[in-house]
């Protein structure tokens, strides 16, 4: 069901897209001077089924088109409205396991949910056609690498936009430091979904780039990570620039080299993921919908795992 009051609150983000576009750290020929802001709405999700039923997706974008970014839909669990300020449990626990103690107070749900929103609307930003060959789209040139680089673009451009919109007064309830620290913690959440998936690969690429450029810092003696507040803003700007130029140039080989270099789990990252797993931090949560309580279904007589084991045993494989 559409949440009209909350949707009204979100219009300020989509209406700021041209302002963000005009201030992107890229040459003018890569910018879209007539950017069309996608419509954005909030709906209360009553129930989810199928492949997505086990995921608590606060925000989800419909497939974005090359020219406009498509329609974006922010979906909220009816028991947890769009302006819910509780921090996602998995982000809070990852922060406590992984991040430096001085950063714990800077990881906030406002930063998490606002950045997700900015991620979705920032799919519209940057070049969607090749700069020196406007009839070709970025998608057609980059082919199998398009999804990874596009998700990385939306993430890092959203983080760039966050700092920009704080300075312009559009975002008033989150500090830049809170965005950066929460982004660091949430990186591990995305990577845990797997780097063969576009969001995970894009997040791994950003994480490694920001480590290499000094925005993020890894302490080898403790295995913990922190944000260098003196370098992170410039590192985010540089990564935003590099990805947008890669897209605008449409050079598949250069994008392949970028993905190969950055979209991977390095040894220290794998060790951190093992610690997070060992601490019992969930990858995600499964929402319990009110409608399920109102209309309970009959439980299966036999659990799926037990049924599979029984069938394998009967077939002689066990």
């Amino acid at each position: 069901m559409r949440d009209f009051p909350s949707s009204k609150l979100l219009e300020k983000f989509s209406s700021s897209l041209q302002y963000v576009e005009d201030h992107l750290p890229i040459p003018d020929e890569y910018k879209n001077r007539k950017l069309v802001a996608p419509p954005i709405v909030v709906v209360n999700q009553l129930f989810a089924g199928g492949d997505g039923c086990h995921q608590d997706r606060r925000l989800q974008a419909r497939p974005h088109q090359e020219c406009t970014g498509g329609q974006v839909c922010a979906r909220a669990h009816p028991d947890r409205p769009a302006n819910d300020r509780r921090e996602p449990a998995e982000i809070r626990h990852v922060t406590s396991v992984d991040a430096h103690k001085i950063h714990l107070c800077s990881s906030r749900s406002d930063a998490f949910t606002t950045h997700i929103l900015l991620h979705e609307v920032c799919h519209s930003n940057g070049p969607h056609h090749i700069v020196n060959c406007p009839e070709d789209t970025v998608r057609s040139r980059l082919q199998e690498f398009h999804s990874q680089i596009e998700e990385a673009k939306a993430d890092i451009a959203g983080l760039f936009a966050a700092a920009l919109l704080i300075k312009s007064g559009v975002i008033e309830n989150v500090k830049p430091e809170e965005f950066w620290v929460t982004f660091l913690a949430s990186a591990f959440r995305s990577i845990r979904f797997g780097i063969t998936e576009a969001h995970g690969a894009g997040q791994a690429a950003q994480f490694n780039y920001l480590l290499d450029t000094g925005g993020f810092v890894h302490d080898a003696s403790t295995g913990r990570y922190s944000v260098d507040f003196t370098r992170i803003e410039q590192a985010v700007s540089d990564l935003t620039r590099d990805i947008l130029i890669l897209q605008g140039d449409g050079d598949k080989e250069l994008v392949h080299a970028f993905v190969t270099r950055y979209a991977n789990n390095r040894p220290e990252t794998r060790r951190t993921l093992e610690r997070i797993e060992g601490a019992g931090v969930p990858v995600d949560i499964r929402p319990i919908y009110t409608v399920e309580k109102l209309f309970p279904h009959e439980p299966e007589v036999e659990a799926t795992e037990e049924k599979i084991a029984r069938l394998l045993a009967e077939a002689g494989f066990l």
Side-chain angles (χ1 to χ4, degrees):
M1 296 186 298
R2 181 176 292 193
D3 184 335
F4 287 96
S6 295
S7 297
K8 186 71 175 178
L9 290 175
L10 296 180
E11 288 181 3
K12 64 180 182 180
F13 293 104
S14 58
S15 63
S16 299
L17 278 177
Q18 188 63 61
Y19 176 79
V20 172
E21 184 78 13
D22 293 342
H23 289 80
L24 288 173
I26 52 177
D28 287 344
E29 59 267 28
Y30 289 83
K31 296 178 181 179
N32 187 344
R33 293 303 181 186
K34 296 181 179 179
L35 189 149
V36 179
I40 182 166
V41 298
V42 178
V43 298
N44 288 321
Q45 179 177 294
L46 300 179
F47 186 75
D51 292 340
C53 66
H54 298 296
Q55 299 183 26
D56 179 24
R57 296 181 177 179
R58 289 171 179 79
L59 299 172
Q60 182 182 42
R62 295 176 64 179
H64 41 276
Q65 301 170 357
E66 298 288 351
C67 55
T68 66
Q71 185 178 23
V72 178
C73 178
R75 307 196 308 174
H77 191 294
D79 294 331
R80 298 190 65 175
N83 61 353
D84 190 333
R85 299 182 183 276
R86 287 176 290 174
E87 184 173 22
E90 62 273 20
I91 299 298
R92 184 170 61 252
H93 291 311
V94 165
T95 308
S96 65
V97 170
D98 177 63
H100 196 282
K101 291 182 179 179
I102 62 173
H103 286 347
L104 292 180
C105 61
S106 294
S107 177
R108 291 187 52 198
S109 63
D110 283 339
F112 179 70
T113 54
T114 302
H115 178 256
I116 293 177
L117 172 64
L118 290 170
H119 166 106
E120 301 301 353
V121 298
C122 281
H123 275 299
S124 297
N125 287 112
H128 292 274
H129 292 78
I130 305 306
V131 171
N132 62 3
C133 190
E135 62 272 18
D136 288 352
T137 65
V138 173
R139 184 190 301 273
S140 67
R141 285 287 191 91
L142 301 189
Q143 298 177 334
E144 68 269 24
F145 298 112
H146 174 264
S147 293
Q148 298 174 31
I149 207 74
E150 175 62 25
E151 293 303 334
K153 183 279 294 282
D155 253 354
I156 202 65
L159 198 58
F160 174 86
L164 184 67
L165 295 179
I166 289 173
K167 293 176 183 177
S168 67
V170 174
I171 296 177
E172 300 176 333
N173 62 327
V174 187
K175 299 176 182 178
E177 294 81 4
E178 293 167 340
F179 273 116
W180 296 326
V181 171
T182 304
F183 185 77
L184 168 59
S186 66
F188 290 99
R189 176 181 182 270
S190 297
I191 292 172
R192 291 180 77 198
F193 283 107
I195 60 173
T196 57
E197 187 267 340
H199 291 81
Q203 186 64 261
Q206 297 167 81
F207 179 71
N208 288 327
Y209 184 105
L210 294 176
L211 275 172
D212 289 354
T213 54
F216 291 160
V217 179
H218 176 250
D219 186 339
S221 64
T222 64
R224 290 179 178 265
Y225 294 83
S226 60
V227 178
D228 185 336
F229 294 128
T230 66
R231 304 180 69 176
I232 184 63
E233 187 169 9
Q234 186 61 51
V236 168
S237 178
D238 290 346
L239 179 53
T240 302
R241 176 202 63 209
D242 289 355
I243 288 180
L244 291 175
I245 289 177
L246 282 172
Q247 287 187 310
D249 290 345
D251 189 324
K252 184 179 177 181
E253 291 303 315
L254 286 179
V255 172
H256 185 193
F258 179 90
V259 170
T260 300
R261 178 178 179 181
Y262 292 112
N264 57 77
N265 285 336
R266 297 173 179 176
E268 58 270 25
T269 304
R270 291 196 293 270
R271 287 192 291 270
T272 300
L273 294 174
E274 290 171 359
R275 290 208 317 275
I276 294 172
E277 188 71 26
V281 179
V283 176
D284 210 340
I285 61 176
R286 179 184 180 184
I288 299 175
Y289 296 95
T290 303
V291 70
E292 290 183 292
K293 300 175 183 178
L294 296 176
F295 303 100
H297 61 277
E298 291 295 327
E300 291 186 4
V301 177
E302 188 174 27
T304 302
E305 293 82 359
E306 296 172 348
K307 184 176 182 179
I308 292 174
R310 177 177 58 79
L311 292 174
L312 289 173
E314 291 176 355
F317 289 101
L318 296 177

